[in-house]
Amino acid sequence: MPKTVLNEELYQYAINFGVREHPVLTKLRDETAKLSNRQMQISVDQGQLMGLFAKMIGAKRYLELGVFTGYSSLTMALAMGTDSHVTGLELSNEYLKIAREFWIEANVEQQIRVIEGPATSSCAKLIADKEQFDIAFIDANKTDYPTYYEYCYQLVRVGGLILIDNVLFKGAVLEEKASNSALAIKKLNEIIKNDPRVDICMLPIADGLTMAYKKGA
């Protein structure tokens, strides 16, 4: 059982003392909060954690499946430094307009390449081009999660990380009559649990974040 019951007040305490957020990230978060689907953005503490992961492994090449308004990609570009490269895969040009505005303000737009279109076909093209990344973050169409995972395993270097968002899916992974999205996430959770190619940890942060470390042969 959890050792601490995390209520709203205690969670805010953790944010106040555990997060240092770049001012442009704060502005982007406030802008995204105006959208009806604002819950698609990662939480501020999740962003802080992902940025630390990047620094810990010396990441310079980051792949993101599902950019939305650009909070996570901006977080990682800032964390990895000016000599880093971010590749974002996104379907919606509408959200990318918001993202680019804040990437420019934070002076990281030159580090970020966006490939528009379905993430499955974009990943296949990246594999064909023999591209490699230090970290891949999966946060796109949930029904394609198992496919994304296999693609990202090929795209991430040995010693790199695959991060998967929404692995708890607001508790729907416990439901017997689950949606197609929840079923796909449950399937992926089982695949990763039994995948000897990676070391894993599922973190109960935000809507659930799995970290898979790609082992050597």
Side-chain angles (χ1 to χ4, degrees):
M1 296 295 292
K3 291 188 176 181
T4 302
V5 177
L6 195 64
N7 59 26
E8 182 63 32
E9 184 178 7
L10 191 55
Y11 175 71
Q12 191 58 53
Y13 178 90
I15 298 300
N16 290 343
F17 287 93
V19 172
R20 297 171 183 163
E21 188 176 39
H22 190 283
V24 180
L25 283 170
T26 304
K27 290 177 66 175
L28 174 52
R29 197 157 47 85
D30 290 342
E31 184 66 24
T32 304
K34 300 174 185 177
L35 302 177
S36 60
N37 55 349
R38 55 190 174 272
Q39 76 282 353
M40 289 173 57
Q41 180 185 270
I42 66 168
S43 64
V44 61
D45 49 335
Q46 181 177 333
Q48 181 91 354
L49 181 63
M50 288 171 56
L52 282 176
F53 284 159
K55 291 180 179 181
M56 289 166 68
I57 69 167
K60 294 296 179 182
R61 299 161 299 172
Y62 168 71
L63 173 65
E64 181 166 285
L65 283 64
V67 175
F68 191 40
T69 58
Y71 186 91
S72 48
S73 48
L74 176 53
T75 295
M76 298 301 273
L78 291 169
M80 295 189 300
T82 56
D83 58 341
S84 65
H85 302 279
V86 171
T87 298
L89 312 182
E90 177 58 53
L91 273 173
S92 172
N93 188 260
E94 175 187 356
Y95 298 138
L96 288 174
K97 289 178 182 178
I98 299 173
R100 288 191 173 101
E101 175 186 343
F102 290 92
W103 294 341
I104 291 169
E105 184 172 350
N107 197 30
V108 300
E109 76 279 6
Q110 70 282 355
Q111 299 168 229
I112 302 175
R113 168 184 58 163
V114 175
I115 303 173
E116 295 187 47
T120 47
S121 57
S122 298
C123 282
K125 178 66 164 55
L126 291 171
I127 291 170
D129 291 341
K130 302 187 184 309
E131 297 212 30
Q132 285 275 282
F133 299 89
D134 302 305
I135 299 178
F137 179 47
I138 299 173
D139 191 18
N141 182 27
K142 308 311 174 194
T143 55
D144 287 325
Y145 261 35
T147 302
Y148 295 153
Y149 175 70
E150 288 302 326
Y151 278 141
C152 287
Y153 182 83
Q154 296 180 62
L155 287 164
V156 167
R157 65 167 171 85
V158 171
L161 298 175
I162 304 170
L163 306 177
I164 304 104
D165 200 24
N166 304 114
V167 292
L168 298 179
F169 209 55
K170 297 181 174 61
V173 290
L174 298 178
E175 298 174 1
E176 291 186 12
K177 296 182 178 180
S179 66
N180 289 337
S181 293
L183 289 172
I185 291 172
K186 290 175 69 173
K187 178 182 178 181
L188 177 58
N189 290 343
E190 292 173 5
I191 289 170
I192 296 176
K193 168 70 174 178
N194 297 301
D195 189 350
R197 301 172 301 173
V198 294
D199 289 325
I200 63 168
C201 182
M202 182 185 288
L203 301 169
I205 186 172
D207 194 27
L209 178 70
T210 288
M211 175 175 61
Y213 171 85
K214 182 173 177 177
K215 300 189 291 185

